[in-house]
Amino acid sequence: MLKAILIDDEPDCVELLARELSEYCPQVQVVGRSTTSEDGLRLIQILQPDIVFLDIEMPRMNGFQLLEKIGTISFNLIFVTAYNEFAVKAFRFSALDYLLKPIDTLDLQEAVRKAERQQRVDSRQLDMLKSQFHSRHLAEKIAVPYQQGVIFLPVSEIIYCESDSNYTKVIAIQHRQYLLTRTLREVQEVLEERNFLRIHRQYVINLDQIKLFMKGEGSYVVMTNDISIPVARNQKEKLVQRFGWL
């Protein structure tokens, strides 16, 4: 049984989340609820939860400031946030878990399942997320979770990303390869503003890592690691537009 604390300055959101957890996530026991950061901090220190559902935007002390007062985080953390396109990309870059309001039941169940098997939060993930929220600029690195922790991979070192069912393989320089528990569409949303382009239903490529483009029927690109990747017919024009000289 996971002991959970819910912290959100909107009482209705706290009540609704508690009901959703009770009905759809029986492995979670809500041991504390708070509508202020100060009280939430006190509950965390006293109750020592396994998981905390935390809103970021709260008066007087926001979620980041609360976490700074805690210091070392010994619990699983799920942020709860209102919809914001930039915020979603920031969370995905940092690989920290989040739920969008209004909370979808399936997303909640998946977040809880991930919390059951997830490692402790890496402080660098929080630093990355906080920096992006404050600067409104996407980070130069992407956090890639793996079994023993989190790798912080420079975006410029990614050659391409390949769909693998509900996962995504990230191929980087120096023959490195990582498996993300994200769909290629999610990865595309994170990287599309960073000179990446989805040229095929299975591939998102780093345009800075293209070595050769072969035009004509059956177009394809050759990446810097000498791997050939097909260019879908309906994506060829987008590639041409990104490289005006084609």
Side-chain angles (χ1 to χ4, degrees):
M1 182 71 74
L2 293 174
K3 295 189 300 180
I5 290 176
L6 319 182
I7 306 173
D8 194 313
D9 64 319
E10 299 180 49
D12 289 345
C13 290
V14 172
E15 181 61 32
L16 179 59
L17 178 54
R19 289 204 306 266
E20 293 274 299
L21 287 167
S22 175
E23 184 171 356
Y24 300 108
C25 302
Q27 69 273 49
V28 176
Q29 177 188 10
V30 177
V31 296
R33 311 181 194 185
S34 175
T35 55
T36 69
S37 298
E38 294 83 357
D39 187 49
L41 175 61
R42 181 184 62 81
L43 289 176
I44 290 173
Q45 293 170 334
I46 293 173
L47 299 175
Q48 298 293 303
D50 301 305
I51 181 171
V52 171
F53 292 83
L54 177 64
D55 189 15
I56 291 180
E57 298 297 334
M58 291 184 289
R60 294 190 298 276
M61 180 168 62
N62 65 33
F64 293 129
Q65 293 168 325
L66 182 154
L67 294 171
E68 286 174 358
K69 288 184 177 295
I70 292 172
T72 301
I73 298 175
S74 59
F75 48 82
N76 286 295
L77 180 62
I78 298 176
F79 288 102
V80 181
T81 181
Y83 179 78
N84 177 289
E85 184 178 353
F86 178 84
V88 170
K89 291 185 178 182
F91 280 117
R92 289 175 177 169
F93 258 90
S94 64
L96 286 164
D97 215 355
Y98 64 96
L99 292 168
L100 295 176
K101 300 177 182 177
I103 296 173
D104 178 81
T105 300
L106 293 179
D107 290 343
L108 175 61
Q109 291 174 318
E110 177 59 24
V112 169
R113 282 194 292 268
K114 287 168 63 177
E116 289 182 287
R117 61 178 184 268
Q118 191 171 321
Q119 300 287 333
R120 179 183 296 178
V121 172
D122 189 309
S123 61
R124 291 173 296 175
Q125 292 172 273
L126 285 172
D127 291 340
M128 180 185 291
L129 180 62
K130 183 169 62 175
S131 173
Q132 291 174 74
F133 265 85
H134 290 167
S135 69
R136 312 302 289 178
H137 293 293
L138 291 174
E140 296 299 322
K141 295 183 179 182
I142 185 171
V144 181
Y146 74 116
Q147 286 183 341
Q148 285 74 39
V150 179
I151 292 174
F152 293 86
L153 179 66
V155 174
S156 61
E157 295 183 3
I158 299 173
I159 301 175
Y160 65 89
C161 302
E162 180 180 357
S163 175
D164 186 2
S165 186
N166 290 325
Y167 297 86
T168 298
K169 287 189 289 188
V170 176
I171 310 300
I173 63 174
Q174 299 176 339
H175 307 288
R176 289 172 293 166
Q177 181 172 312
Y178 309 98
L179 187 65
L180 286 179
T181 56
R182 305 282 188 191
T183 65
L184 187 62
R185 178 176 294 277
E186 290 176 300
V187 173
Q188 175 187 353
E189 291 174 357
V190 170
L191 296 176
E192 61 188 356
E193 296 179 5
R194 309 303 297 268
N195 211 31
F196 282 70
L197 181 66
R198 188 165 186 169
I199 61 169
H200 188 275
R201 61 183 178 83
Q202 283 190 272
Y203 297 97
V204 170
I205 66 169
N206 184 345
L207 297 178
D208 291 328
Q209 294 283 348
I210 295 178
K211 185 165 70 173
L212 178 67
F213 172 63
M214 297 299 294
K215 297 188 290 186
E217 195 67 28
S219 299
Y220 64 92
V221 293
V222 179
M223 307 305 291
T224 53
N225 62 349
D226 293 322
I227 297 297
S228 298
I229 296 177
V231 180
R233 185 175 302 175
N234 61 351
Q235 294 299 98
K236 181 178 176 181
E237 184 60 31
K238 290 183 179 179
L239 188 60
V240 170
Q241 289 174 356
R242 296 290 283 269
F243 291 100
W245 47 265
L246 290 176

